[in-house]
Amino acid sequence: MTAQAHLGLSATRRLDRLSWPEAEKALQQSRSTVVWPMGAFEQHGPHLPLATDALFAEQILDTVLSQLAPHAPIWSLPSQSIGFSPEHSGFPGTLSLTSGLLTQLIIEVGTQLCAQGVKRLVLFNAHGGQIGLLQAAARELRVQSPSMAILPCFLWSGVPGLDALIPGDELRGGLHAAQAETSLMLALEPELVGDARPVDGDHRQPSSLATPPPGWSLEGAAPTAWLTTDLSTSGVIGDSRAASAECGEALERCLVSHWLNLFGSLLASEWPPSQPVAVSN
């Protein structure tokens, strides 16, 4: 029996694998942190599985959690594998929740976690199409649960070193099932990757009808609400030809290192304050 189990806590990082007395003890610790991996159930071209985003969130998170200190008060929920994916609804296999339903789900689960003592809830999201929605849902949840910090994160955001692995044009414009995602899947679950390496969804050439007017872009400072069918017949947006397992392994190392640092920093802190900061008049 491990020392942690002897103290009444299982060695698992999965909250759903704990008994209720273990969960009670875990969630009421002073720095209790719960991470909810979030993905999508959507097309990823003819060569990647529908579960791509959920698989990335689960596997990167599992690796990060396994490298944290054994007694760190952090646990994960089962992944939310169906997300907000209306942009891909033109492709068979895609399943999408409405924005209101996903928002309400986050609020329902989050308020219950807060009531049980959780101090921090991290929405660990790997689907780019729901970044803004999760940020809005997190704000609504925070209003209803002011004692709990809610951190809506995107797997690929702010990760140093990606520009050394993926060409600049592809890093900016390979938005879906292109070099980065195909490479990472080749590293994590190569048996799920098909043989096709599509190049599609070109939105960077002035001659393309799908290219936004000057100053506008699909994503970035002046984005547009695009649908995949506006851009692509294969479901890919970008160029997957240079994808490789070696590139994917390097991407995995970058992602794990980045999130290990961030979770380590969070767990070492006493943030958020137990009482709201007073507003001076």
Side-chain angles (χ1 to χ4, degrees):
M1 180 180 294
T2 66
Q4 191 175 27
H6 180 70
L7 291 172
L9 286 180
S10 167
T12 182
R13 293 291 194 187
R14 282 283 298 268
L15 188 62
D16 58 333
R17 306 291 172 84
L18 302 181
S19 66
W20 76 258
E22 290 174 328
E24 180 181 42
K25 186 178 181 68
L27 299 182
Q28 292 184 6
Q29 294 185 62
S30 63
R31 301 179 186 181
S32 59
T33 302
V34 170
V35 187
W36 193 354
M38 299 216 155
F41 197 110
E42 63 184 30
Q43 71 83 22
H44 271 77
H47 61 303
L48 296 179
L50 300 169
T52 290
D53 292 337
L55 189 151
F56 288 167
E58 292 170 1
Q59 293 211 15
I60 296 299
L61 179 61
D62 284 350
T63 301
V64 169
L65 295 183
S66 72
Q67 295 183 30
L68 291 170
H71 296 288
I74 184 169
W75 293 269
S76 69
L77 297 179
S79 66
Q80 179 58 38
S81 58
I82 301 179
F84 177 68
S85 304
E87 71 273 28
H88 299 293
S89 61
F91 293 83
T94 297
L95 299 176
S96 178
L97 303 180
T98 63
S99 59
L101 181 57
L102 185 55
T103 297
Q104 190 60 35
L105 176 63
I106 291 168
I107 291 172
E108 292 278 355
V109 172
T111 53
Q112 293 177 59
L113 288 171
C114 182
Q116 295 182 54
V118 173
K119 307 304 184 296
R120 282 109 48 136
L121 173 61
V122 180
L123 306 178
F124 193 69
N125 170 45
H127 169 39
Q130 60 193 16
I131 294 172
L133 176 60
L134 296 189
Q135 290 172 339
R139 192 79 68 182
E140 288 197 43
L141 173 57
R142 182 68 202 290
V143 170
Q144 297 188 33
S145 304
S147 65
M148 183 174 69
I150 303 98
L151 301 96
C153 302
F154 181 48
L155 176 67
W156 298 93
S157 284
V159 180
L162 297 184
D163 55 351
L165 301 173
I166 305 293
D169 283 351
E170 180 65 14
L171 191 61
R172 292 185 294 272
L175 303 181
H176 194 70
Q179 182 180 346
E181 289 194 316
T182 304
S183 293
L184 187 58
M185 189 64 76
L186 283 168
L188 297 178
E189 297 280 357
E191 70 279 4
L192 297 181
V193 183
D195 294 331
R197 294 293 180 269
V199 184
D200 203 353
D202 185 11
H203 54 90
R204 292 168 283 184
Q205 303 299 323
S207 59
S208 171
L209 294 178
T211 301
W216 297 86
S217 59
L218 298 190
E219 296 185 354
T224 61
W226 52 270
L227 303 177
T228 309
T229 50
D230 295 337
L231 309 168
S232 173
T233 58
S234 70
V236 173
I237 303 175
D239 187 346
S240 66
R241 289 175 297 179
S244 69
E246 293 75 19
C247 177
E249 290 165 0
L251 289 170
E252 181 184 9
R253 288 192 294 271
C254 285
L255 290 166
V256 169
S257 175
H258 174 69
W259 290 107
L260 188 60
N261 286 336
L262 285 187
F263 280 118
S265 172
L266 181 63
L267 291 165
S269 76
E270 296 292 344
W271 184 86
S274 57
Q275 298 294 330
V277 177
V279 178
S280 59
N281 293 325

